[in-house]
Amino acid sequence: MKDITVSVSKTYQVKIGSGLLRSLGAEVTSLCKASTAAIISDSNVWPLYGKAAEESLTSAGLKVISYVFPAGEDSKNGRVYLEILNFLAQNKLTRSDCIVALGGGVVGDMTGFVAATYLRGIAYIQVPTTLLAAVDSSVGGKTAIDLDAGKNLAGAFYQPSLVLCDLDTLSTLPEDIFRDGCAEVIKYGILYDKELFALLAKDGLNFPREAVISRCVELKRDVVTDDEFDTGARMRLNLGHTVGHGVEAGSHYTVSHGKAVAIGTAIVTRAAEKYGICDRKTKEQILAILALFGLPTATALTADQLYLSALSDKKRSSGSVNLIIPETIGCCRIAPTPTHDVKSFIQAGL
Ligand code: NAD
Ligand code: GLY
């Protein structure tokens, strides 16, 4: 088991290992004085792991209530958010109780935002069950729901009290969803760690789960410690995302987040080589690792379509978009790019 401390506006542990769901109840009682735990989950995860979570909590003496919403990004909206708040209020959950997010990034983002706002803030625990949630969304306190105008447009920075990552839950992930998470794992290698990149390039999908997930969490911990509120260095985590969001939106969300990030990463990498920011070897290494993990590197969408979406990206500031561009493996630059230059940069990478 790996135990990583995150010390930001709140200090908490990220525990990563097999069988950790069994200790959920004991973890909650050691963290807070809750008498009730509210589990929020989705319709795929709850049948697989709801009972184990519930049993662990009740055997630690807690009353358990649960709210399960239909799986998928379509549920990450204001209607479901309000339904959950009303459910908690009707069940008289108090500030000393706690909430458990049992699921992937959708459950984690939604539950985190519920926890940030219910009674002006209540403790919550992330129990990530996808690779993406384990290495990225469960750590760092970004919580959100989607609005009609775009993804993650309403939310809060609100850190969890604990992240409990039971590696056994990853065994039921459909391979395609596992690959989506791999795009984020590869992202950490490109951004910060050439040894991690080399390990992934050697092992492919068979990479050692605990070691690699722990390394990604350590890297995310370091970034979030440096820039909790996303005003500087944390923006690098957006590698592949600005163009990737355009791919997601342009495909009407038929291309998943992870695959869109892979395509976005490939586009900025090809453009980076053409602009002389990275060399050909770096470009080939990045395209090869994406292919090794079965991730796509191209889109039929045009630069015009991708550019329009980039303009609505949250990382935009007045008159420019902060593009994250690879220089070498393990090093990427934040490049504030005038909006009128973004389209030609994307065009160069298609
Ligand atoms: P997800 O939560 O929708 O999970 C993907 C699918 O896998 C769902 O159908 C889910 O029900 C199913 N699933 C989850 N765990 C399972 C398991 N163990 N076995 C079988 N099926 C399982 O999607 P995701 O990829 O985990 O997360 C994507 C979301 O995360 C997006 O909304 C994105 O915006 C958000 N995100 C947030 C951050 C952040 O920092 N907060 C970072 C990256 C992504
Ligand atoms: N996943 C992006 C971030 O946490 O900043």
Side-chain angles (χ1 to χ4, degrees):
M1 202 263 284
K2 194 88 176 142
D3 194 346
I4 297 163
T5 303
V6 182
S7 221
V8 285
S9 53
K10 185 185 280 176
T11 296
Y12 56 95
Q13 303 305 122
V14 181
K15 298 188 178 183
I16 300 158
S18 283
L20 294 186
L21 198 50
R22 284 194 292 276
S23 62
L24 176 63
E27 295 284 0
V28 171
T29 52
S30 77
L31 275 172
C32 63
K33 296 192 183 341
S35 55
T36 301
I39 307 175
I40 315 294
S41 191
D42 76 22
S43 53
N44 290 334
V45 177
W46 178 256
L48 293 167
Y49 303 109
K51 191 160 177 262
E54 202 168 7
E55 278 176 7
S56 175
L57 291 162
T58 49
S59 63
L62 290 151
K63 180 184 163 198
V64 177
I65 58 172
S66 54
Y67 190 97
V68 179
F69 60 78
E73 186 74 28
D74 282 355
S75 288
K76 211 175 112 178
N77 60 39
R79 185 184 53 76
V80 177
Y81 163 73
L82 281 178
E83 276 174 18
I84 298 172
L85 288 177
N86 278 310
F87 169 79
L88 300 179
Q90 279 150 12
N91 282 279
K92 302 195 173 8
L93 205 74
T94 71
R95 263 191 186 159
S96 56
D97 292 323
C98 88
I99 308 183
V100 175
L102 176 67
V106 166
V107 168
D109 279 15
M110 165 81 84
T111 305
F113 190 42
V114 164
T117 48
Y118 180 69
L119 303 180
R120 300 200 181 94
I122 172 172
Y124 77 111
I125 291 168
Q126 291 273 15
V127 183
T129 64
T130 62
L131 178 61
L132 179 144
V135 299
D136 195 352
S137 60
S138 65
V139 179
K142 274 192 185 173
T143 76
I145 56 172
D146 302 334
L147 301 181
D148 291 343
K151 272 189 67 155
N152 297 329
L153 291 186
F157 288 95
Y158 191 66
Q159 302 292 340
S161 296
L162 171 72
V163 181
L164 199 62
C165 175
D166 184 339
L167 296 172
D168 297 344
T169 63
L170 301 182
S171 65
T172 52
L173 268 186
E175 190 180 293
D176 206 41
I177 295 173
F178 186 78
R179 281 183 208 275
D180 281 339
C182 292
E184 303 284 0
V185 172
I186 292 166
K187 178 185 82 176
Y188 285 106
I190 299 172
L191 283 174
Y192 305 114
D193 188 340
K194 58 179 193 285
E195 281 84 26
L196 172 63
F197 187 93
L199 175 75
L200 295 169
K202 176 171 71 67
D203 289 354
L205 286 167
N206 297 321
F207 64 80
R209 303 296 190 247
E210 184 172 319
V212 166
I213 292 172
S214 301
R215 182 66 190 134
C216 293
V217 169
E218 283 169 353
L219 290 165
K220 179 138 192 194
R221 182 264 322 269
D222 293 346
V223 176
V224 172
T225 305
D226 192 23
D227 177 23
E228 180 175 0
F229 298 108
D230 202 15
T231 56
R234 189 168 178 170
M235 288 186 205
R236 281 198 181 76
L237 294 177
N238 213 32
L239 173 65
H241 285 59
T242 302
V243 179
H245 286 156
V247 175
E248 277 183 283
S251 73
H252 304 287
Y253 295 92
T254 54
V255 176
S256 65
H257 180 73
K259 292 180 190 65
V261 166
I263 293 168
T265 303
I267 289 172
V268 291
T269 301
R270 284 190 290 259
E273 190 213 0
K274 289 212 176 118
Y275 278 66
I277 299 169
C278 77
D279 60 18
R280 177 182 291 197
K281 185 174 168 222
T282 302
K283 178 195 76 173
E284 283 172 358
Q285 283 177 299
I286 292 174
L287 296 181
I289 202 168
L290 294 171
L292 177 68
F293 279 80
L295 290 162
T297 55
T299 174
L301 294 165
T302 64
D304 267 320
Q305 289 167 304
L306 297 170
Y307 164 74
L308 283 178
S309 169
L311 290 190
S312 63
D313 194 90
K314 288 194 296 308
K315 303 291 184 291
R316 185 164 78 98
S317 43
S318 58
S320 71
V321 175
N322 290 310
L323 292 176
I324 313 305
I325 308 180
E327 295 180 319
T328 55
I329 302 301
C331 181
C332 295
R333 73 167 71 152
I334 302 174
T337 307
T339 45
H340 56 267
D341 290 340
V342 172
K343 189 162 63 178
S344 38
F345 187 81
I346 294 173
Q347 181 67 54
L350 285 178

